[in-house]
Amino acid sequence: MSGSFLLFFFDWNSIALSERSMQFADEAVLILANRPGSARIEMAGHSDLSEPEAEGLSRRRVEAVAAAISARGVSRSRLRLVAFGATRPLVPTGVGIPEPQNRRVELVHRWD
């Protein structure tokens, strides 16, 4: 079963978390705390077609979000991370066209 869905957005070619993203990290931790047992967080990192090294960048983004969540007391064993690079855009664009909505980490809470 799945629950809440959060999107963390990033500036171009950046892995820095915004103040709003830090609030989302707090929210993710609270939701998980209310779902003991097998509850977990699944995260997918993405980039846009204008960013260099898209796959590596999407991996660093998802790691940055995971670090923010684990710093708040969540065990890394409860986090599932995957990086898709620029292969799954929210907004399809041509190569080299920047799109802010494609620079993201998607977070979903899951439990049995």
Side-chain angles (χ1 to χ4, degrees), residues 9-58:
F9 290 102
F10 294 83
D11 289 334
W12 187 86
N13 205 34
S14 174
I15 64 167
L17 294 172
S18 67
E19 186 175 320
R20 182 70 178 134
S21 290
M22 294 306 234
Q23 293 170 352
F24 282 159
D26 291 337
E27 186 177 330
V29 171
L30 288 174
I31 293 168
L32 193 61
N34 290 323
R35 296 279 180 190
S38 64
R40 64 196 178 281
I41 295 175
E42 295 180 357
M43 291 180 273
H46 302 272
S47 58
D48 75 26
L49 288 169
S50 74
E51 294 177 301
E53 197 187 319
E55 188 172 337
L57 185 57
S58 67

Side-chain angles (χ1 to χ4, degrees), residues 47-95:
S47 58
D48 75 26
L49 288 169
S50 74
E51 294 177 301
E53 197 187 319
E55 188 172 337
L57 185 57
S58 67
R59 167 57 64 183
R60 290 189 302 277
R61 284 177 175 151
V62 77
E63 288 288 347
V65 173
I69 291 170
S70 63
R72 288 160 169 75
V74 174
S75 169
R76 288 289 292 233
S77 67
R78 297 181 81 183
L79 307 178
R80 307 285 188 270
L81 284 59
V82 65
F84 291 108
T87 62
R88 297 185 179 188
L90 278 179
V91 179
T93 66
V95 174

